[in-house]
Amino acid sequence: MVEAYIAPIYEPVAPILSFNKVPRFGHTSNITDIFTDDGSVDGDVIIDYVMGSIFIAAFLLVTYIIFINAVVILKCCCGPGAGILAGHPFLEDKSLIFDKPKKNAYFRSFIIFMNFCIVVAGCIFLAKGTQQVSRVGDDVRSGAEGLKTVAGNVVATADSLIGLSETSMPIRDKLRDITIGEGICKTDFDSIAFTLADILDQIQDFAEGEVTDIKEVFATEMMDIGNGLGNQTDTIQRLSNPAYYAGPAISLGFVLMVGTLLAWCAPDLQIYFKIQTWFFLPLFFLLLLVTIAGIAIVGAALVTNSDFCIGNELGTPEATAGAIISKFDFDEAASSALNYYIISGCRS
């Protein structure tokens, strides 16, 4: 005898626990509060929840603003004495090619190393990011196909039950004819036949009512959800190609590394430095801003994900899903199906 499968108890991984502990400063962390009891969305609660989940984004943005202001102040108010901290060149004798002060060599070596790290990090991000995006996309598509398969099985089962009901109608009618007439020798068979006819009536009503409703839910809504997930995943995967970010990061890191080497060994190559100053450096600051925005969005998404997974009294995703589903006005058939395939199905 095959034992029924029982899913293991949900145990959140360390990142989920860490992101769930992000400071909220008095704002709500309960994602289910976004939905009211009638299934609508409460705009005030959404604003309150978002304000509590953007700590990472706010921290990065404030750090970036402080950094930019410091550079501008040093550039405008401190003059050449601020040195490379504000984009000023080193104060040195350009006639000396290799015999440079050690301090300048340390600074330039550090800058070269950091740009090399940008290039290496970009390559790692391109390789690992492509694998992860592909894996996540495959998992979501697999889940969407699984949902469509379940919906198809439910529809097929409902069709079979409806077909069985239709097949039993002639038998029911024949039993009705027997019991309405003189019966069969006035025996207990008459009452049994009458009861059986009532049961067939109930089966027909069930098939035409609840079974048909369940079939319609899975044939339309669940199929649409599965198809929508697949299509949206393809679009998101195409737009989130890691090469869109890794390519510029690798290129700019390499260009700035070469520029530092040229400033060290070939300081008279002014055309390169002008292009670097007025074209590549602004692009680098723009890339830095995009990086911060990306980390902020991912950070907020991870906080929201942690709230969904453990942001409830039971500390499970099923409890959050159940609380959200309970706030929508689904009919009994849809509620039962969602409870079985989304909540109960996760536990057994």
Side-chain angles (χ1 to χ4, degrees):
M1 180 178 179
V2 180
E3 295 183 358
Y5 170 76
I6 299 178
I9 298 174
Y10 174 74
E11 296 183 0
V13 295
I16 294 292
L17 296 173
S18 299
F19 279 103
N20 192 250
K21 296 177 181 178
V22 169
R24 306 302 175 97
F25 303 101
H27 299 284
T28 182
S29 62
N30 191 343
I31 195 172
T32 62
D33 290 342
I34 293 175
F35 303 97
T36 61
D37 292 335
D38 60 357
S40 60
V41 177
D42 190 328
D44 294 335
V45 177
I46 287 181
I47 295 175
D48 184 61
Y49 178 80
V50 170
M51 293 299 294
S53 62
I54 60 173
F55 170 77
I56 297 176
F59 176 79
L60 293 174
L61 182 61
V62 169
T63 303
Y64 181 76
I65 292 175
I66 292 174
F67 168 71
I68 294 297
N69 288 335
V71 172
V72 172
I73 292 173
L74 291 172
K75 181 74 173 180
C76 298
C77 302
C78 299
I84 63 169
L85 294 178
H88 294 291
F90 287 112
L91 299 178
E92 59 185 5
D93 186 357
K94 294 184 178 180
S95 63
L96 301 176
I97 303 300
F98 296 104
D99 187 17
K100 302 293 185 182
K102 291 184 177 180
K103 179 180 178 180
N104 297 353
Y106 293 151
F107 271 116
R108 283 171 174 158
S109 298
F110 177 74
I111 294 173
I112 291 173
F113 174 74
M114 295 306 297
N115 284 303
F116 176 76
C117 290
I118 292 175
V119 173
V120 173
C123 293
I124 294 175
F125 178 80
L126 180 61
K128 294 294 186 180
T130 301
Q131 293 177 359
Q132 292 298 321
V133 170
S134 177
R135 183 178 64 82
V136 171
D138 292 341
D139 289 344
V140 174
R141 276 190 291 269
S142 177
E145 290 299 323
L147 179 61
K148 291 167 63 177
T149 300
V150 170
N153 292 336
V154 172
V155 171
T157 303
D159 285 335
S160 298
L161 187 55
I162 293 172
L164 177 62
S165 172
E166 294 175 350
T167 304
S168 67
M169 289 176 63
I171 300 175
R172 181 206 61 185
D173 295 338
K174 188 64 176 176
L175 291 172
R176 291 288 188 200
D177 293 340
I178 293 174
T179 55
I180 291 175
E182 295 182 355
I184 300 179
C185 300
K186 304 297 182 179
T187 63
D188 292 339
F189 178 80
D190 295 339
S191 61
I192 296 173
F194 186 81
T195 302
L196 182 58
D198 286 342
I199 292 174
L200 293 176
D201 275 336
Q202 295 174 13
I203 293 175
Q204 183 183 5
D205 293 339
F206 177 67
E208 294 178 350
E210 287 84 351
V211 174
T212 301
D213 292 339
I214 292 175
K215 174 187 174 182
E216 291 177 354
V217 168
F218 279 86
T220 57
E221 297 180 18
M222 292 301 178
M223 283 294 187
D224 290 343
I225 292 174
N227 292 328
L229 279 174
N231 295 334
Q232 292 297 324
T233 300
D234 292 339
T235 301
I236 293 173
Q237 188 172 0
R238 184 172 60 254
L239 295 177
S240 60
N241 189 337
Y244 294 153
Y245 174 82
I250 295 171
S251 301
L252 289 173
F254 180 78
V255 168
L256 296 179
M257 183 171 61
V258 171
T260 306
L261 289 171
L262 291 176
W264 201 344
C265 303
D268 294 328
L269 193 61
Q270 293 299 312
I271 183 65
Y272 187 92
F273 302 131
K274 290 184 181 297
I275 295 174
Q276 177 178 267
T277 300
W278 298 104
F279 182 71
F280 289 114
L281 281 178
L283 287 180
F284 181 77
F285 276 93
L286 180 61
L287 177 67
L288 184 60
L289 182 61
V290 171
T291 302
I292 292 174
I295 295 175
I297 293 173
V298 172
L302 291 174
V303 170
T304 302
N305 179 67
S306 69
D307 289 340
F308 185 89
C309 289
I310 60 176
N312 53 77
E313 294 180 356
L314 298 178
T316 62
E318 297 93 336
T320 303
I324 294 175
I325 291 173
S326 66
K327 294 188 176 184
F328 285 85
D329 188 21
F330 292 112
D331 57 37
E332 184 178 355
S335 297
S336 299
L338 291 172
N339 179 73
Y340 179 80
Y341 286 100
I342 295 179
I343 300 175
S344 299
C346 294
R347 294 194 294 261
S348 62

